[in-house]
Amino acid sequence: MRFYEYESKQLFGRYGIPLPTGSKVAHSAAEAEAVAKEINGPAVLKSQVLTGGRMKAGGVLFADTPGQAAEAATKILALTINGHAPRGVLVEGRAPVKQEYYIGVTWDGFARKPVMICSDMGGIDIEEVAETHPEHIAKRHFSTLLPFSDYMAKELIAQLAIGGAELNQLSRIAAALARVFIAHGLTLAEINPLARLEDGRFVCLDGHVDMEDDARDSQKAILKALGIAPEEKRQARPPTQFEIDGAAVDAADHRGVAGNVVEFDGDLGLVIGAGGGSLTLFDAIRKHGGRPANYCEIGGNPSVTKACELTKLILRKPGVKKIAVMMNVVSNTRVDIVARGVIKGVIESGHKPADKIAIFRIPGSWETEGFKILQHYGVEYCDRTVSMYEAAGRAVAKMQDA
Amino acid sequence: MAALFINVEVDPALAKDAAAVKKLVEVCPVNIFAEADLGLLAIVEKNLDECTLCELCLQAAPAGAVRVKKLYGDREVLVRTD
């Protein structure tokens, strides 16, 4: 779940990360003017939207007086950026910047550890810096179990040939960022740019925070303190009707999970899941050149009705020619129940299961019973001797004739 | 739509036995059995395909009084014979 910039900064501020003067969110021109008066100097006003391209769209404006701040706020609050209406306008003091840095902490799925990344070339895309100036990037992994000390940050930043007071200040900020990351179940905590002002002070000019969705429950207190309501999902885009209908299928029956879908524009509908299987299978379909119509999660022990309704939903999606029903080896999902549901869904949609189901690969609990059903309806199926990758390949191959 | 995978048959005499009907309604985890007017047994057709083959209904009724029929494969019939 993404945070607005002002929320990210409020979170950082709680850990002693220095913020620009003011740094308050305003919801009207009058509020913006009042913050600008407090700042008592040049100010920057930034649209609070969960999308990029603010500067180009006119969502970041500067003001030298409170009156100008009010005018700028009026413009920004009326501006929709990439379809996003602003939550408010962040008003902050503006000070001359001597140099910009980058500090970020994210999760490294390969190392299974958080990684801290620092650069003395902030203000631009860090991926671009890594490609064009790798010598300006320093990285280190760290444990989520052990405390992150200032010294660990110092070792990292020193790799960029930074020393003296600058190193001390940066180390404290970097260590604080690592602590924010660990304490709040984040997947990203980023300051870009982190500015060194002409007077030597450091301030966080922009911040990004992403919280792991599953952490929301354990982070209720901080979310409440930041004013983030439990029902706010903060998706990158609004759900499509297909996704809303999928959620309704899932919500209609408490048994198992089926209906948690994301829409794509391909022609192969996916009924996939189990123990990371959905991601693996989705990638395998893509690797074989297939075009998924959706991403899907099916698991637990869904009822026949739930699997049936999910199948009907996917088959209803325009452009879907076949479906592939594939899972990792399952222990608590009944293969025969899923087989019944999928076949029922295909028949109720007016199709023949043998024509519409490209492959059925769910090995596990009650598979013998499931395979009897599939055999009865002439559906191609396979057991665990066929890998998920190979099953995905078979499904994609069938799409050539579809 | 009629059930595709499972059918359940109950002896007519058992279907009129109010106590037995209550028991069948109670044990089925997917609500295949319901109590109709006058305590008669009703089979809820829309739930037939949800049958998990748990055999609780077979255990709850006298031997041979409830038969669970698979409508696929070798059309096996589950029935208590003891």
Side-chain angles (χ1 to χ4, degrees), chain A residues 237 242-243 261-272 277-297 314-315 317-326 358 392-393 395-397 399-400:
Chain A
R237 58 168 174 76
F242 176 76
E243 291 160 3
V261 290
V262 180
E263 183 169 20
F264 293 95
D265 58 1
D267 53 8
L268 178 59
L270 300 178
V271 179
I272 52 176
S278 45
L279 279 176
T280 307
L281 286 159
F282 187 92
D283 287 350
I285 293 285
R286 297 278 295 144
K287 190 97 176 170
H288 284 291
R291 296 174 51 241
N294 64 290
Y295 170 82
C296 177
E297 284 173 10
I314 293 174
L315 284 172
K317 185 171 168 357
V320 171
K321 292 177 181 162
K322 286 182 189 287
I323 59 168
V325 186
M326 303 182 288
V396 172
M399 295 304 288
Q400 312 308 322

Side-chain angles (χ1 to χ4, degrees), chain A residues 24-340:
Chain A
K24 283 184 187 158
V25 70
H27 301 95
S28 66
E31 280 180 26
E33 188 175 2
V35 181
K37 272 182 190 159
E38 279 176 34
I39 292 168
N40 195 25
V44 57
L45 292 95
K46 300 156 93 175
S47 175
Q48 294 303 288
V49 282
L50 293 176
T51 184
R54 283 186 305 184
M55 182 66 101
K56 207 179 270 184
V60 178
L61 297 172
F62 302 103
D64 289 326
T65 65
Q68 286 178 4
E71 277 174 37
T74 304
K75 284 182 193 162
I76 289 171
L77 289 169
L79 185 69
T80 299
I81 302 173
N82 298 329
H84 292 247
R87 168 69 66 99
V89 56
L90 182 64
V91 189
E92 296 184 320
R94 203 174 157 210
V97 173
K98 190 150 189 189
Q99 189 173 354
E100 293 183 335
Y101 299 83
Y102 172 96
I103 303 179
V105 183
T106 188
W107 184 258
D108 181 344
F110 288 106
R112 297 179 182 183
K113 283 178 180 177
V115 59
M116 176 174 278
I117 303 162
C118 294
S119 173
D120 55 359
M121 290 180 68
I124 51 174
D125 194 16
I126 194 67
E127 282 87 1
E128 192 186 321
V129 179
E131 261 181 38
T132 54
H133 299 92
E135 71 282 8
H136 285 273
I137 297 261
K139 288 197 282 190
R140 85 171 283 169
H141 290 91
F142 58 94
S143 166
T144 52
L145 302 174
L146 303 171
F148 190 96
S149 66
D150 288 7
Y151 184 75
M152 289 161 74
K154 195 173 270 188
E155 276 185 325
L156 173 68
I157 294 162
Q159 290 175 34
L160 298 170
I162 295 170
E166 198 180 327
L167 176 62
N168 287 337
Q169 288 192 71
L170 275 170
S171 303
R172 275 197 292 274
I173 294 168
L177 196 66
R179 288 193 274 271
V180 174
F181 183 89
I182 291 171
H184 297 295
L186 305 185
T187 53
L188 175 70
E190 184 183 72
I191 304 175
N192 188 25
L194 173 65
R196 177 158 60 90
L197 305 180
E198 285 185 350
D199 61 9
R201 286 183 300 124
F202 280 83
V203 289
C204 162
L205 292 190
D206 200 355
H208 298 274
V209 162
D210 268 332
M211 181 180 277
E212 175 64 55
D213 280 345
D214 288 340
R216 289 186 67 139
D217 212 39
S218 64
Q219 299 297 327
K220 274 181 192 159
I222 189 70
L223 292 173
K224 192 177 175 193
L226 294 173
I228 300 171
E231 66 274 12
E232 279 192 62
K233 297 295 178 213
R234 302 280 177 92
Q235 300 294 334
R237 58 168 174 76
T240 64
Q241 192 57 47
F242 176 76
E243 291 160 3
I244 292 168
D245 292 346
V249 168
D250 199 34
D253 190 329
H254 68 278
R255 291 170 286 184
V257 174
N260 192 0
V261 290
V262 180
E263 183 169 20
F264 293 95
D265 58 1
D267 53 8
L268 178 59
L270 300 178
V271 179
I272 52 176
S278 45
L279 279 176
T280 307
L281 286 159
F282 187 92
D283 287 350
I285 293 285
R286 297 278 295 144
K287 190 97 176 170
H288 284 291
R291 296 174 51 241
N294 64 290
Y295 170 82
C296 177
E297 284 173 10
I298 177 169
N301 200 15
S303 62
V304 172
T305 306
K306 205 165 184 176
C308 169
E309 292 303 317
L310 171 69
T311 304
K312 281 164 38 180
L313 172 77
I314 293 174
L315 284 172
R316 244 191 347 257
K317 185 171 168 357
V320 171
K321 292 177 181 162
K322 286 182 189 287
I323 59 168
V325 186
M326 303 182 288
M327 290 174 90
N328 206 342
V329 180
V330 292
S331 57
N332 63 339
T333 302
R334 287 263 302 255
V335 177
D336 60 328
I337 298 290
V338 177
R340 283 189 218 168

